[in-house]
PDB file of all heavy atoms in Angstrom:
ATOM      1  N   LEU A  44     -14.664  10.308  -4.396  1.00 94.00           N
ATOM      2  CA  LEU A  44     -15.842  10.595  -5.214  1.00 94.00           C
ATOM      3  C   LEU A  44     -15.791   9.851  -6.548  1.00 94.00           C
ATOM      4  O   LEU A  44     -16.817   9.352  -7.028  1.00 94.00           O
ATOM      5  CB  LEU A  44     -15.992  12.101  -5.418  1.00 94.00           C
ATOM      6  CG  LEU A  44     -16.379  12.885  -4.163  1.00 94.00           C
ATOM      7  CD1 LEU A  44     -16.321  14.383  -4.420  1.00 94.00           C
ATOM      8  CD2 LEU A  44     -17.750  12.469  -3.653  1.00 94.00           C
ATOM      9  N   GLN A  45     -14.602   9.751  -7.139  1.00 96.00           N
ATOM     10  CA  GLN A  45     -14.465   8.993  -8.383  1.00 96.00           C
ATOM     11  C   GLN A  45     -14.752   7.509  -8.143  1.00 96.00           C
ATOM     12  O   GLN A  45     -15.427   6.861  -8.946  1.00 96.00           O
ATOM     13  CB  GLN A  45     -13.066   9.158  -8.974  1.00 96.00           C
ATOM     14  CG  GLN A  45     -12.909   8.475 -10.326  1.00 96.00           C
ATOM     15  CD  GLN A  45     -13.844   9.037 -11.366  1.00 96.00           C
ATOM     16  OE1 GLN A  45     -13.889  10.246 -11.595  1.00 96.00           O
ATOM     17  NE2 GLN A  45     -14.622   8.178 -12.011  1.00 96.00           N
ATOM     18  N   PHE A  46     -14.262   6.993  -7.020  1.00 97.00           N
ATOM     19  CA  PHE A  46     -14.520   5.603  -6.635  1.00 97.00           C
ATOM     20  C   PHE A  46     -16.025   5.358  -6.520  1.00 97.00           C
ATOM     21  O   PHE A  46     -16.544   4.361  -7.020  1.00 97.00           O
ATOM     22  CB  PHE A  46     -13.814   5.310  -5.309  1.00 97.00           C
ATOM     23  CG  PHE A  46     -14.251   4.056  -4.622  1.00 97.00           C
ATOM     24  CD1 PHE A  46     -13.832   2.810  -5.073  1.00 97.00           C
ATOM     25  CD2 PHE A  46     -15.065   4.111  -3.501  1.00 97.00           C
ATOM     26  CE1 PHE A  46     -14.226   1.649  -4.416  1.00 97.00           C
ATOM     27  CE2 PHE A  46     -15.460   2.963  -2.846  1.00 97.00           C
ATOM     28  CZ  PHE A  46     -15.039   1.725  -3.308  1.00 97.00           C
ATOM     29  N   LEU A  47     -16.729   6.271  -5.887  1.00 96.00           N
ATOM     30  CA  LEU A  47     -18.184   6.130  -5.759  1.00 96.00           C
ATOM     31  C   LEU A  47     -18.855   6.205  -7.126  1.00 96.00           C
ATOM     32  O   LEU A  47     -19.735   5.407  -7.437  1.00 96.00           O
ATOM     33  CB  LEU A  47     -18.743   7.205  -4.829  1.00 96.00           C
ATOM     34  CG  LEU A  47     -18.309   7.125  -3.370  1.00 96.00           C
ATOM     35  CD1 LEU A  47     -18.785   8.359  -2.608  1.00 96.00           C
ATOM     36  CD2 LEU A  47     -18.796   5.856  -2.710  1.00 96.00           C
ATOM     37  N   ALA A  48     -18.418   7.155  -7.943  1.00 95.00           N
ATOM     38  CA  ALA A  48     -19.030   7.367  -9.251  1.00 95.00           C
ATOM     39  C   ALA A  48     -18.764   6.214 -10.214  1.00 95.00           C
ATOM     40  O   ALA A  48     -19.563   5.973 -11.131  1.00 95.00           O
ATOM     41  CB  ALA A  48     -18.527   8.675  -9.856  1.00 95.00           C
ATOM     42  N   ASP A  49     -17.678   5.480 -10.002  1.00 96.00           N
ATOM     43  CA  ASP A  49     -17.350   4.357 -10.882  1.00 96.00           C
ATOM     44  C   ASP A  49     -18.342   3.200 -10.773  1.00 96.00           C
ATOM     45  O   ASP A  49     -18.369   2.337 -11.631  1.00 96.00           O
ATOM     46  CB  ASP A  49     -15.937   3.840 -10.587  1.00 96.00           C
ATOM     47  CG  ASP A  49     -14.851   4.767 -11.107  1.00 96.00           C
ATOM     48  OD1 ASP A  49     -15.142   5.650 -11.931  1.00 96.00           O
ATOM     49  OD2 ASP A  49     -13.690   4.597 -10.664  1.00 96.00           O
ATOM     50  N   ASP A  50     -19.128   3.188  -9.721  1.00 96.00           N
ATOM     51  CA  ASP A  50     -20.102   2.121  -9.521  1.00 96.00           C
ATOM     52  C   ASP A  50     -21.466   2.765  -9.276  1.00 96.00           C
ATOM     53  O   ASP A  50     -21.666   3.412  -8.246  1.00 96.00           O
ATOM     54  CB  ASP A  50     -19.692   1.262  -8.321  1.00 96.00           C
ATOM     55  CG  ASP A  50     -20.659   0.120  -8.082  1.00 96.00           C
ATOM     56  OD1 ASP A  50     -21.786   0.392  -7.608  1.00 96.00           O
ATOM     57  OD2 ASP A  50     -20.276  -1.031  -8.342  1.00 96.00           O
ATOM     58  N   PRO A  51     -22.414   2.610 -10.206  1.00 95.00           N
ATOM     59  CA  PRO A  51     -23.722   3.249 -10.040  1.00 95.00           C
ATOM     60  C   PRO A  51     -24.416   2.901  -8.719  1.00 95.00           C
ATOM     61  O   PRO A  51     -25.080   3.754  -8.130  1.00 95.00           O
ATOM     62  CB  PRO A  51     -24.530   2.736 -11.238  1.00 95.00           C
ATOM     63  CG  PRO A  51     -23.506   2.376 -12.258  1.00 95.00           C
ATOM     64  CD  PRO A  51     -22.316   1.880 -11.474  1.00 95.00           C
ATOM     65  N   GLY A  52     -24.255   1.681  -8.245  1.00 96.00           N
ATOM     66  CA  GLY A  52     -24.865   1.295  -6.970  1.00 96.00           C
ATOM     67  C   GLY A  52     -24.270   2.053  -5.802  1.00 96.00           C
ATOM     68  O   GLY A  52     -25.000   2.497  -4.910  1.00 96.00           O
ATOM     69  N   ARG A  53     -22.944   2.200  -5.790  1.00 96.00           N
ATOM     70  CA  ARG A  53     -22.291   2.958  -4.716  1.00 96.00           C
ATOM     71  C   ARG A  53     -22.718   4.422  -4.753  1.00 96.00           C
ATOM     72  O   ARG A  53     -22.976   5.031  -3.723  1.00 96.00           O
ATOM     73  CB  ARG A  53     -20.764   2.877  -4.832  1.00 96.00           C
ATOM     74  CG  ARG A  53     -20.189   1.566  -4.395  1.00 96.00           C
ATOM     75  CD  ARG A  53     -18.688   1.625  -4.245  1.00 96.00           C
ATOM     76  NE  ARG A  53     -17.989   1.829  -5.487  1.00 96.00           N
ATOM     77  CZ  ARG A  53     -17.122   0.967  -6.030  1.00 96.00           C
ATOM     78  NH1 ARG A  53     -16.843  -0.166  -5.424  1.00 96.00           N
ATOM     79  NH2 ARG A  53     -16.532   1.242  -7.159  1.00 96.00           N
ATOM     80  N   MET A  54     -22.770   4.987  -5.969  1.00 95.00           N
ATOM     81  CA  MET A  54     -23.145   6.399  -6.084  1.00 95.00           C
ATOM     82  C   MET A  54     -24.595   6.601  -5.682  1.00 95.00           C
ATOM     83  O   MET A  54     -24.925   7.579  -4.997  1.00 95.00           O
ATOM     84  CB  MET A  54     -22.899   6.891  -7.514  1.00 95.00           C
ATOM     85  CG  MET A  54     -22.821   8.380  -7.621  1.00 95.00           C
ATOM     86  SD  MET A  54     -21.281   8.948  -6.851  1.00 95.00           S
ATOM     87  CE  MET A  54     -21.682  10.639  -6.579  1.00 95.00           C
ATOM     88  N   ALA A  55     -25.468   5.700  -6.080  1.00 95.00           N
ATOM     89  CA  ALA A  55     -26.882   5.806  -5.706  1.00 95.00           C
ATOM     90  C   ALA A  55     -27.036   5.747  -4.193  1.00 95.00           C
ATOM     91  O   ALA A  55     -27.788   6.536  -3.607  1.00 95.00           O
ATOM     92  CB  ALA A  55     -27.694   4.699  -6.362  1.00 95.00           C
ATOM     93  N   ARG A  56     -26.315   4.836  -3.544  1.00 94.00           N
ATOM     94  CA  ARG A  56     -26.386   4.745  -2.086  1.00 94.00           C
ATOM     95  C   ARG A  56     -25.858   6.024  -1.453  1.00 94.00           C
ATOM     96  O   ARG A  56     -26.446   6.546  -0.510  1.00 94.00           O
ATOM     97  CB  ARG A  56     -25.603   3.544  -1.574  1.00 94.00           C
ATOM     98  CG  ARG A  56     -25.714   3.415  -0.066  1.00 94.00           C
ATOM     99  CD  ARG A  56     -24.979   2.192   0.478  1.00 94.00           C
ATOM    100  NE  ARG A  56     -25.201   2.057   1.898  1.00 94.00           N
ATOM    101  CZ  ARG A  56     -24.589   2.787   2.841  1.00 94.00           C
ATOM    102  NH1 ARG A  56     -23.720   3.703   2.498  1.00 94.00           N
ATOM    103  NH2 ARG A  56     -24.851   2.608   4.112  1.00 94.00           N
ATOM    104  N   PHE A  57     -24.751   6.550  -1.974  1.00 93.00           N
ATOM    105  CA  PHE A  57     -24.194   7.802  -1.466  1.00 93.00           C
ATOM    106  C   PHE A  57     -25.232   8.916  -1.553  1.00 93.00           C
ATOM    107  O   PHE A  57     -25.467   9.633  -0.584  1.00 93.00           O
ATOM    108  CB  PHE A  57     -22.933   8.173  -2.255  1.00 93.00           C
ATOM    109  CG  PHE A  57     -22.388   9.531  -1.928  1.00 93.00           C
ATOM    110  CD1 PHE A  57     -21.677   9.741  -0.749  1.00 93.00           C
ATOM    111  CD2 PHE A  57     -22.568  10.602  -2.795  1.00 93.00           C
ATOM    112  CE1 PHE A  57     -21.167  10.999  -0.442  1.00 93.00           C
ATOM    113  CE2 PHE A  57     -22.063  11.850  -2.497  1.00 93.00           C
ATOM    114  CZ  PHE A  57     -21.363  12.049  -1.315  1.00 93.00           C
ATOM    115  N   PHE A  58     -25.876   9.053  -2.700  1.00 93.00           N
ATOM    116  CA  PHE A  58     -26.893  10.088  -2.855  1.00 93.00           C
ATOM    117  C   PHE A  58     -28.070   9.839  -1.923  1.00 93.00           C
ATOM    118  O   PHE A  58     -28.597  10.776  -1.317  1.00 93.00           O
ATOM    119  CB  PHE A  58     -27.370  10.176  -4.306  1.00 93.00           C
ATOM    120  CG  PHE A  58     -26.399  10.855  -5.238  1.00 93.00           C
ATOM    121  CD1 PHE A  58     -26.347  10.510  -6.575  1.00 93.00           C
ATOM    122  CD2 PHE A  58     -25.538  11.856  -4.802  1.00 93.00           C
ATOM    123  CE1 PHE A  58     -25.474  11.141  -7.454  1.00 93.00           C
ATOM    124  CE2 PHE A  58     -24.655  12.495  -5.672  1.00 93.00           C
ATOM    125  CZ  PHE A  58     -24.629  12.130  -7.000  1.00 93.00           C
ATOM    126  N   ASN A  59     -28.499   8.593  -1.785  1.00 92.00           N
ATOM    127  CA  ASN A  59     -29.622   8.278  -0.898  1.00 92.00           C
ATOM    128  C   ASN A  59     -29.305   8.581   0.557  1.00 92.00           C
ATOM    129  O   ASN A  59     -30.146   9.123   1.277  1.00 92.00           O
ATOM    130  CB  ASN A  59     -30.040   6.817  -1.039  1.00 92.00           C
ATOM    131  CG  ASN A  59     -30.773   6.546  -2.326  1.00 92.00           C
ATOM    132  OD1 ASN A  59     -31.388   7.421  -2.899  1.00 92.00           O
ATOM    133  ND2 ASN A  59     -30.699   5.314  -2.787  1.00 92.00           N
ATOM    134  N   VAL A  60     -28.118   8.215   1.000  1.00 90.00           N
ATOM    135  CA  VAL A  60     -27.740   8.418   2.400  1.00 90.00           C
ATOM    136  C   VAL A  60     -27.490   9.893   2.705  1.00 90.00           C
ATOM    137  O   VAL A  60     -27.895  10.391   3.753  1.00 90.00           O
ATOM    138  CB  VAL A  60     -26.494   7.573   2.757  1.00 90.00           C
ATOM    139  CG1 VAL A  60     -25.916   7.961   4.105  1.00 90.00           C
ATOM    140  CG2 VAL A  60     -26.845   6.094   2.745  1.00 90.00           C
ATOM    141  N   THR A  61     -26.846  10.585   1.792  1.00 89.00           N
ATOM    142  CA  THR A  61     -26.454  11.975   2.065  1.00 89.00           C
ATOM    143  C   THR A  61     -27.522  12.995   1.721  1.00 89.00           C
ATOM    144  O   THR A  61     -27.498  14.106   2.231  1.00 89.00           O
ATOM    145  CB  THR A  61     -25.183  12.348   1.290  1.00 89.00           C
ATOM    146  OG1 THR A  61     -25.458  12.300  -0.117  1.00 89.00           O
ATOM    147  CG2 THR A  61     -24.029  11.440   1.650  1.00 89.00           C
ATOM    148  N   GLY A  62     -28.430  12.646   0.828  1.00 90.00           N
ATOM    149  CA  GLY A  62     -29.425  13.616   0.389  1.00 90.00           C
ATOM    150  C   GLY A  62     -28.913  14.520  -0.719  1.00 90.00           C
ATOM    151  O   GLY A  62     -29.639  15.369  -1.211  1.00 90.00           O
ATOM    152  N   LEU A  63     -27.668  14.329  -1.126  1.00 91.00           N
ATOM    153  CA  LEU A  63     -27.118  15.113  -2.225  1.00 91.00           C
ATOM    154  C   LEU A  63     -27.614  14.541  -3.545  1.00 91.00           C
ATOM    155  O   LEU A  63     -28.111  13.417  -3.606  1.00 91.00           O
ATOM    156  CB  LEU A  63     -25.589  15.085  -2.185  1.00 91.00           C
ATOM    157  CG  LEU A  63     -24.934  15.776  -1.000  1.00 91.00           C
ATOM    158  CD1 LEU A  63     -23.432  15.512  -0.995  1.00 91.00           C
ATOM    159  CD2 LEU A  63     -25.205  17.268  -1.022  1.00 91.00           C
ATOM    160  N   THR A  64     -27.456  15.322  -4.600  1.00 91.00           N
ATOM    161  CA  THR A  64     -27.777  14.875  -5.950  1.00 91.00           C
ATOM    162  C   THR A  64     -26.620  15.272  -6.850  1.00 91.00           C
ATOM    163  O   THR A  64     -25.722  16.014  -6.439  1.00 91.00           O
ATOM    164  CB  THR A  64     -29.063  15.537  -6.481  1.00 91.00           C
ATOM    165  OG1 THR A  64     -28.820  16.939  -6.637  1.00 91.00           O
ATOM    166  CG2 THR A  64     -30.257  15.311  -5.559  1.00 91.00           C
ATOM    167  N   ALA A  65     -26.674  14.824  -8.084  1.00 90.00           N
ATOM    168  CA  ALA A  65     -25.652  15.217  -9.050  1.00 90.00           C
ATOM    169  C   ALA A  65     -25.641  16.735  -9.217  1.00 90.00           C
ATOM    170  O   ALA A  65     -24.600  17.330  -9.481  1.00 90.00           O
ATOM    171  CB  ALA A  65     -25.896  14.525 -10.381  1.00 90.00           C
ATOM    172  N   THR A  66     -26.772  17.370  -9.034  1.00 91.00           N
ATOM    173  CA  THR A  66     -26.879  18.825  -9.174  1.00 91.00           C
ATOM    174  C   THR A  66     -26.350  19.560  -7.948  1.00 91.00           C
ATOM    175  O   THR A  66     -25.711  20.605  -8.082  1.00 91.00           O
ATOM    176  CB  THR A  66     -28.354  19.224  -9.407  1.00 91.00           C
ATOM    177  OG1 THR A  66     -28.844  18.486 -10.530  1.00 91.00           O
ATOM    178  CG2 THR A  66     -28.501  20.699  -9.644  1.00 91.00           C
ATOM    179  N   THR A  67     -26.593  19.039  -6.758  1.00 91.00           N
ATOM    180  CA  THR A  67     -26.251  19.772  -5.535  1.00 91.00           C
ATOM    181  C   THR A  67     -24.857  19.479  -4.992  1.00 91.00           C
ATOM    182  O   THR A  67     -24.375  20.200  -4.120  1.00 91.00           O
ATOM    183  CB  THR A  67     -27.276  19.485  -4.421  1.00 91.00           C
ATOM    184  OG1 THR A  67     -27.263  18.082  -4.121  1.00 91.00           O
ATOM    185  CG2 THR A  67     -28.667  19.934  -4.825  1.00 91.00           C
ATOM    186  N   ILE A  68     -24.207  18.461  -5.510  1.00 90.00           N
ATOM    187  CA  ILE A  68     -22.919  18.085  -4.933  1.00 90.00           C
ATOM    188  C   ILE A  68     -21.858  19.168  -5.129  1.00 90.00           C
ATOM    189  O   ILE A  68     -21.003  19.373  -4.275  1.00 90.00           O
ATOM    190  CB  ILE A  68     -22.442  16.711  -5.451  1.00 90.00           C
ATOM    191  CG1 ILE A  68     -21.332  16.180  -4.536  1.00 90.00           C
ATOM    192  CG2 ILE A  68     -22.030  16.769  -6.892  1.00 90.00           C
ATOM    193  CD1 ILE A  68     -21.017  14.724  -4.751  1.00 90.00           C
ATOM    194  N   ARG A  69     -21.922  19.902  -6.225  1.00 88.00           N
ATOM    195  CA  ARG A  69     -20.938  20.978  -6.444  1.00 88.00           C
ATOM    196  C   ARG A  69     -21.054  22.060  -5.386  1.00 88.00           C
ATOM    197  O   ARG A  69     -20.049  22.554  -4.879  1.00 88.00           O
ATOM    198  CB  ARG A  69     -21.096  21.594  -7.830  1.00 88.00           C
ATOM    199  CG  ARG A  69     -20.549  20.734  -8.913  1.00 88.00           C
ATOM    200  CD  ARG A  69     -20.629  21.462 -10.243  1.00 88.00           C
ATOM    201  NE  ARG A  69     -20.425  20.521 -11.303  1.00 88.00           N
ATOM    202  CZ  ARG A  69     -19.361  20.534 -12.084  1.00 88.00           C
ATOM    203  NH1 ARG A  69     -18.449  21.442 -11.922  1.00 88.00           N
ATOM    204  NH2 ARG A  69     -19.241  19.635 -13.038  1.00 88.00           N
ATOM    205  N   ALA A  70     -22.267  22.451  -5.067  1.00 88.00           N
ATOM    206  CA  ALA A  70     -22.457  23.474  -4.036  1.00 88.00           C
ATOM    207  C   ALA A  70     -21.962  22.957  -2.687  1.00 88.00           C
ATOM    208  O   ALA A  70     -21.304  23.675  -1.942  1.00 88.00           O
ATOM    209  CB  ALA A  70     -23.927  23.874  -3.953  1.00 88.00           C
TER     210      ALA A  70
END
Side-chain angles (χ1 to χ4, degrees):
L44 291 172
Q45 184 61 53
F46 166 76
L47 294 172
D49 286 345
D50 181 287
R53 285 192 294 242
M54 199 71 199
R56 182 178 184 283
F57 172 76
F58 284 150
N59 286 334
V60 169
T61 64
L63 293 173
T64 66
T66 306
T67 61
I68 196 167
R69 284 185 195 248

